[in-house]
Amino acid sequence: RLRRELPDAILAMALEKAEPHFHARLSAVRKHYSFRLATVDAVSPFEARYCWCTGPLDLEAMAEAAMSLDRKALDYSTFSMGTPEPDYHGEVEKTVGLAVREDGPDRALVVVSCDRFLYRMVRRIVG
């Protein structure tokens, strides 16, 4: 019944009662962001809102750089805008999962995961 009430963009897999102090952002164990990149100058208007046109990229170098940062505890404050609030963003030292891979012809996928992100952190890592 819940699935009929939700918009098509949301898929509920399970429903459980949350603890009284549960916070959707702050209580998350891990969050994942995916950025789909188009390595061409233009894409179909139907795809434009779902990918970032970057032009040609060196995906091999990007994947190598991502592997050097993947799952290492590092200070990510350089990738943030503004002053991080520890109660909300957690510590600036994060252990981030980071991967770059091909995602079809002229496409790449950047996947970033962490317990809490700093403000605009993922956009700055990908950008």
Side-chain angles (χ1 to χ4, degrees), residues 35-75:
F35 277 76
R36 190 158 188 244
L37 310 178
T39 58
V40 291
D41 294 325
V43 295
S44 146
F46 301 106
E47 189 181 20
R49 68 184 285 192
Y50 302 107
C51 68
W52 186 356
C53 288
T54 62
L57 296 171
D58 185 342
L59 295 181
E60 191 174 308
M62 289 175 63
E64 191 175 310
M67 283 182 6
S68 72
L69 298 173
D70 187 41
R71 297 189 190 108
K72 292 193 174 100
L74 301 168
D75 179 343

Side-chain angles (χ1 to χ4, degrees), residues 79-109:
F79 292 99
S80 178
M81 288 182 70
T83 305
E85 299 175 34
D87 290 342
Y88 186 77
H89 298 105
E91 298 301 319
V92 295
E93 185 174 286
K94 307 279 184 192
T95 301
V96 174
L98 185 56
V100 177
R101 64 176 171 83
E102 285 188 48
D103 191 39
D106 301 319
R107 300 293 183 270
L109 189 67

